[in-house]
Amino acid sequence: MSTVREGLILTRRDLAHWRRQPWSPIFSLLFTIMLLLMFAFIFGGSIRLPGGGDYIQFLLPGMMTMAMMFGAETTMTTMANDSKKGITDRLRSMPISDASVSLGRVGADMVSSTVEIAILVIGGLLLGWRTTNSPLAGIIAVALLLWLRFAVLWVGIFLGLTVGRHEGATVLVQILVWPVGFLSDVFAAPELMPDWLGTIAAWNPISATATAVRELFGNPTGVTGGWLADASLFAAIAWPLAITAVFLPLSARAYRRLRR
């Protein structure tokens, strides 16, 4: 319980920092909104969905999923900056558990991610997006989005503790994040892609969450067959679990190595 209490204290510390300097989360949200508007109004008119449906109904859940991916870069940057400024060294000198430092960062980001989803939902409603399923299904959809974000944060923490302090680390993360984000069904259905590319997109963890969220919201999925149509909900749970199982221990190990 002491670890959880310490994690909550550090969560409040990160949230207080964002209140004083809110530009980073604001710019991240504005960038996501810009992508949403660009694809909805510039490219959306030329995209036809397999199985039919309005593109904005397809796009909005995908953009919510994409927004969760951006957590890797912001978390890596925050962890790396704390290390460069000596904040991590001061935290390590305190009588607190190692886990509480990462838990504090994760807790703060999960709060901001919830706010981010709410703003995207409001923006989507203004653009004409609608959900046709029950409120419970909508809550489950939001939970899946946050579950993906939780997993991605551990990737960001690991990168922040290892490569984040080096020059070019931000570019490295962008090289990792953007191909993963675009090689998915966030913006277009895999069935519209060449076979080899569609296979990659279908097996992308981002596609699993985006498809499951679309189903739960009652939006068109753009998927008419294959394993993604049958098992997206299972995959949306399993992929983040696998990512967390790999990167959470790696993050803990990287933090312990800082003590040497």
Side-chain angles (χ1 to χ4, degrees), residues 99 102-103 106 147 150-158 161 240-256:
S102 296
L103 287 177
V106 169
W147 176 226
F150 179 81
V152 167
L153 291 178
W154 292 108
V155 179
I157 290 172
F158 171 71
L161 293 173
L241 179 62
I243 294 171
T244 303
V246 171
F247 283 95
L248 194 157
L250 287 176
S251 299
R253 182 185 179 188
Y255 188 84
R256 287 195 298 270

Side-chain angles (χ1 to χ4, degrees), residues 75-189:
T75 297
M76 185 212 73
T77 302
T78 300
M79 296 296 290
N81 287 339
D82 282 354
S83 181
K84 291 177 182 178
K85 295 175 180 177
I87 296 174
T88 302
D89 290 334
R90 289 198 294 271
L91 291 174
R92 282 174 19 211
S93 68
M94 297 179 180
I96 60 176
S97 68
D98 292 347
S100 63
V101 177
S102 296
L103 287 177
R105 171 61 200 168
V106 169
D109 195 284
M110 295 300 285
V111 172
S112 69
S113 298
T114 304
V115 174
E116 187 173 2
I117 292 173
I119 293 175
L120 286 174
V121 167
I122 294 171
L125 292 173
L126 294 175
L127 293 175
W129 173 75
R130 296 293 183 268
T131 174
T132 59
N133 271 353
S134 67
L136 177 60
I139 293 173
I140 296 173
V142 172
L144 286 179
L145 291 169
L146 293 175
W147 176 226
L148 175 65
R149 180 72 163 210
F150 179 81
V152 167
L153 291 178
W154 292 108
V155 179
I157 290 172
F158 171 71
L159 293 175
L161 293 173
T162 52
V163 302
R165 291 171 292 174
H166 303 288
E167 294 294 332
T170 300
V171 176
L172 171 63
V173 175
Q174 290 175 347
I175 292 174
L176 294 173
V177 168
W178 285 102
V180 172
F182 276 93
L183 291 178
S184 68
D185 70 350
V186 166
F187 302 109

Side-chain angles (χ1 to χ4, degrees), residues 5 35 57 90 103 109 124 138 197 229 249:
R5 184 171 61 253
L35 284 179
Q57 311 299 325
R90 289 198 294 271
L103 287 177
D109 195 284
L197 192 61

Side-chain angles (χ1 to χ4, degrees), residues 34-45:
M34 181 191 70
L35 284 179
L36 172 63
L37 295 175
M38 183 175 66
F39 276 89
F41 294 112
I42 299 178
F43 303 116

